[in-house]
Amino acid sequence: MCGITARVGTGAAIGELLSGLRNLEYRGYDSAGVATVTPDGINVVKHQGEIDVLCDAIDQSSVRGTTGIGHTRWSTHGPPTDANAHPHTDCLGQVAVVHNGIIDNYAELKDELSAHEFTSDTDTEVIPHLLEEFLSAGYGPEEAFRRTVDQLSGSYAIAAVFEGTDTVFGTRSGSPLVLGRASDAYYLASDVPAFLEYTDEVAYLHDGDVVAMHPDGYTITDTDGNSVDRPFETIDWDPNDAGKGGFDHYMLKEIYEQPAALRQAIRGRADPLEGRVEFEELPEDAFAGIDTVHLVAMGTSYHAALYATTLLSDRGIPAHAFLSGEYGSNPPPVDDSTLVIAVTQSGETADTLSAIRSIQGTGAHTLALTNVVGSTITRECENTVYIRAGPEIGVAATKSFSSQVATLILLSERLSYDTNGGTPRESSDLLSSLAALPDDVQRILDEPTAESVAATYHDADSYFFIGRGIAHPVALEGALKFKEITYDHAEGFSAAELKHGPLALVTANTPVFAVFTGRDDTKTLHNVKEVRARDAPIIAVTADRDTKVDDYADHVLRIPDTHHDVAGILANVQLQLVSYMAADMLSRPIDKPRNLAKSVTVE
């Protein structure tokens, strides 16, 4: 949620600031603004609405300066208005600040600053006024920044500029902030794509770090002012990966990137001939003594976690999936035989970080399953496994779900091997199906049939998605995608639950998507017959072999024949395509669905 970008160096800052803001649009926003430092002072331009509105205003304002900050705001305190947009300034216009997160004690601070004139509804505005107080007391910019941060409680990432200096100051606590280094400039941002076209050298700040970057270099210090080293690493994402690449939407591009993403997720980890799975990131004894697995996640990642519970249970490992937001508030009993797996694409999901922090000191072991190297979750957990999906810009997750599930299949195999005393399962068929998975996904993409289904049903009253076993989380994910980007009512259910309530809502104008994976299909087919008897249209997602389903379905979305543990990934690709096509026919803003954000960094 929200996006920060900042830049110091040679040449004008404004172009790179605007580019950074555009690259952060996927995080969700309803207003945007920039501030640059000029010889005449700080120049601020900000507006409600999209970045194009901001650009029009900037064209008329002759924004200058080589140092600046920018922000895309997703409203929390106060509605989306010009006044509530960031950056915010002090009474004298000598400071400009952008902020992600929530300042928990802003009301108390605002009372203490009653002599100042506040012009917005935001919690952020207390920051520049605090800075003004310390500057007026004679402190320099860096000390004023530190003393201000000491007054704040909550989660935040902050960047600030001061009149008369070409230094940008930044800090973080519970919200991401990344430093970028190029030959002629330094960058600060909420996420790497903001500056990826200018540099692939990044350093990840830790909570409590204070960075001061200027044209000639940077310093990073801890809360006590001691110098700390945050090593730079090279990101292997191609800048083109963060663009649309000729597709109409990021979501469609990322759907079509799934074969490549899956190859990356599987590469070097599975040996079908030996029936073995290895992760270079994990120590040999990573799962020694584990007898129970908890998976914590939110949204799409939660559906991947649910998928994994079936995989693990099939292998004799008790496993439970929890919504991170619930787990962090009331964690169940854990001990040193429990492995808690945090599933999060960004590695910055606030609820999931809280869930992991809630079991610190209990003896439970922790593992992060994430897409982003250096993200906060990788520092909070003992071990990390990367899904290797590359940058995902679309708010509606697609390739990250497929890569999460493929990686969780491999992880389930590794856990099974370790918990069975090193005895391999008969898994060569499964691993062979995983090896074929990228090509199987490509077959679906090369011969799309989803468009005709979307055209037939895109104006229905409501949509149901049903399945059993691993098909249940696929149904949940199919419904989530559909509602996220079409804005139409869609619900996912276990097929077993249908007659226990949801069947009352089925009508002739309620299309039902039924997911078949080659397991429990007979029972799911019975549920399809129940729906059919109520005149509801049936769209079956099924393998080529399941011809009996054809007798009861109005439409069939085919998936290649594969192992039943893998089939859910293929079924999900078909449902992604249906959601995308339906949303496109309805002219929805597919990459930026209303009220949603890519990286949810506040609870």
Side-chain angles (χ1 to χ4, degrees):
M1 291 185 181
C2 304
I4 287 174
T5 186
R7 183 263 192 202
V8 300
T10 60
I14 188 61
E16 294 182 1
L17 291 174
L18 292 174
S19 173
L21 293 181
R22 289 196 181 280
N23 292 339
L24 292 174
E25 284 187 292
Y26 68 93
R27 294 174 67 90
Y29 75 105
D30 46 43
S31 60
V34 293
T36 58
V37 181
T38 74
D40 300 323
I42 296 176
N43 189 355
V44 175
V45 186
K46 57 182 185 174
H47 278 279
Q48 172 194 353
E50 297 195 351
I51 291 170
D52 286 343
V53 177
L54 177 68
C55 290
D56 289 343
I58 286 172
D59 289 342
Q60 301 166 20
S61 302
S62 301
V63 175
R64 296 174 293 125
T66 61
T67 299
I69 55 177
H71 191 263
T72 51
R73 176 179 186 251
W74 193 87
S75 299
T76 53
H77 294 72
T81 64
D82 290 356
N84 288 334
H86 297 210
H88 289 289
T89 59
D90 65 319
C91 296
L92 303 176
Q94 61 186 336
V95 174
V97 171
V98 293
H99 159 237
N100 291 349
I102 293 176
I103 305 301
D104 291 336
N105 62 335
Y106 87 97
E108 296 89 337
L109 292 172
K110 191 171 181 179
D111 286 342
E112 295 172 13
L113 295 164
S114 58
H116 291 252
E117 181 182 357
F118 284 78
T119 59
S120 79
D121 305 312
T122 69
D123 56 336
T124 302
E125 198 181 355
V126 299
I127 300 173
H129 291 297
L130 280 170
L131 289 168
E132 180 185 356
E133 284 284 304
F134 288 115
L135 290 171
S136 298
Y139 295 102
E142 182 165 357
E143 186 61 24
F145 186 78
R146 286 185 174 283
R147 288 177 178 267
T148 294
V149 172
D150 287 344
Q151 301 292 308
L152 307 177
S153 64
S155 66
Y156 50 79
I158 299 168
V161 290
F162 294 78
E163 186 179 63
T165 176
D166 56 2
T167 301
V168 173
F169 296 92
T171 191
R172 61 157 288 173
S173 178
S175 190
L177 205 57
V178 185
L179 177 66
R181 178 178 65 185
S183 60
D184 59 352
Y186 291 89
Y187 303 90
L188 205 59
S190 304
D191 206 351
V192 172
F195 53 70
L196 188 58
E197 62 194 283
Y198 305 114
T199 181
D200 58 4
E201 293 186 50
V202 304
Y204 295 90
L205 301 183
H206 294 198
D207 282 356
D209 286 353
V210 173
V211 60
M213 64 179 197
H214 49 85
D216 298 323
Y218 69 94
T219 60
I220 303 175
T221 49
D222 62 17
T223 52
D224 297 320
N226 300 312
S227 179
V228 293
D229 178 41
R230 303 296 179 222
F232 279 86
E233 51 191 85
T234 301
I235 295 294
D236 62 359
W237 294 351
D238 188 310
N240 292 325
D241 291 343
K244 290 182 184 176
F247 288 87
D248 289 339
H249 299 94
Y250 285 113
M251 182 182 179
L252 186 61
K253 173 178 178 279
E254 287 157 6
I255 289 172
Y256 274 80
E257 285 176 343
Q258 286 176 112
L262 286 164
R263 287 190 183 93
Q264 292 169 182
I266 298 164
R267 187 184 64 241
R269 291 173 166 173
D271 185 343
L273 295 178
E274 295 292 329
R276 290 285 303 275
V277 171
E278 295 292 345
F279 290 91
E280 63 181 18
E281 304 103 312
L282 296 179
E284 201 167 308
D285 62 348
F287 305 132
I290 297 299
D291 61 23
T292 303
V293 176
H294 292 176
L295 297 106
V296 294
M298 296 298 287
T300 288
S301 295
Y302 175 69
H303 299 153
L306 277 174
Y307 198 117
T309 61
T310 298
L311 301 171
L312 290 163
S313 296
D314 285 349
R315 289 153 178 77
I317 303 170
H320 309 275
F322 299 87
L323 289 166
S324 305
E326 300 291 342
Y327 192 95
S329 301
N330 188 25
V334 296
D335 56 29
D336 60 5
S337 66
T338 309
L339 173 66
V340 182
I341 302 176
V343 187
T344 161
Q345 187 281 138
S346 68
E348 304 291 350
T349 307
D351 311 79
T352 304
L353 288 167
S354 293
I356 289 297
R357 290 164 182 162
S358 72
I359 49 111
Q360 288 178 350
T362 63
H365 300 277
T366 55
L367 171 73
L369 188 91
T370 187
N371 192 34
V372 182
V373 176
S375 55
T376 302
I377 200 70
T378 66
R379 298 192 292 275
E380 301 279 347
C381 292
E382 294 171 51
N383 292 302
T384 299
V385 168
Y386 293 104
I387 66 170
R388 303 171 174 174
E392 186 176 66
I393 306 302
V395 170
T398 51
K399 65 176 179 175
S400 63
F401 177 80
S402 297
S403 296
Q404 284 173 341
V405 171
T407 306
L408 285 165
I409 292 172
L410 293 170
L411 198 59
S412 298
E413 287 293 295
R414 168 68 190 271
L415 272 158
S416 175
Y417 179 85
D418 286 1
T419 56
N420 287 322
T423 302
R425 297 174 70 251
E426 294 296 324
S427 56
S428 58
D429 287 348
L430 170 60
L431 297 183
S432 295
S433 293
L434 266 181
L437 179 60
D439 290 337
D440 286 343
V441 172
Q442 191 64 55
R443 285 173 58 190
I444 293 173
L445 299 175
D446 288 344
E447 302 173 6
T449 55
E451 188 169 6
S452 63
V453 172
T456 303
Y457 300 112
H458 74 278
D459 59 351
D461 291 340
S462 189
Y463 303 82
F464 283 1
F465 295 73
I466 62 171
R468 291 174 181 260
I470 60 170
H472 175 212
V474 172
L476 295 175
E477 176 62 13
L480 178 62
K481 283 294 152 289
F482 202 92
K483 72 179 73 172
E484 278 181 320
I485 62 171
T486 68
Y487 303 161
D488 285 339
H489 178 251
E491 293 296 334
F493 304 99
S494 166
E497 186 188 5
L498 197 61
K499 64 172 66 70
H500 296 280
L503 200 58
L505 298 175
V506 170
T507 71
N509 203 27
T510 309
V512 177
F513 291 80
V515 180
F516 296 86
T517 62
R519 179 171 174 172
D520 290 329
D521 283 358
T522 300
K523 290 182 178 180
T524 301
L525 189 58
H526 290 325
N527 300 120
V528 164
K529 294 175 183 177
E530 292 169 346
V531 172
R532 182 77 179 196
R534 277 77 181 173
D535 296 324
I538 305 295
I539 302 96
V541 188
T542 184
D544 295 337
R545 65 171 182 272
D546 295 326
T547 54
K548 284 187 287 187
V549 175
D550 293 20
D551 296 334
Y552 300 95
D554 296 277
H555 290 82
V556 176
L557 296 169
R558 298 286 183 196
I559 62 173
D561 201 359
T562 188
H563 192 282
H564 56 76
D565 284 351
V566 177
I569 299 176
L570 296 171
N572 182 65
V573 174
Q574 287 284 26
L575 295 179
Q576 290 171 354
L577 289 168
V578 170
S579 296
Y580 174 83
M581 298 297 179
D584 195 39
M585 291 171 188
L586 293 166
S587 300
R588 305 300 192 214
I590 291 172
D591 286 332
K592 294 180 282 185
R594 66 188 178 203
N595 304 329
L596 300 180
K598 182 66 177 175
S599 182
V600 184
T601 56
V602 294
E603 292 184 76

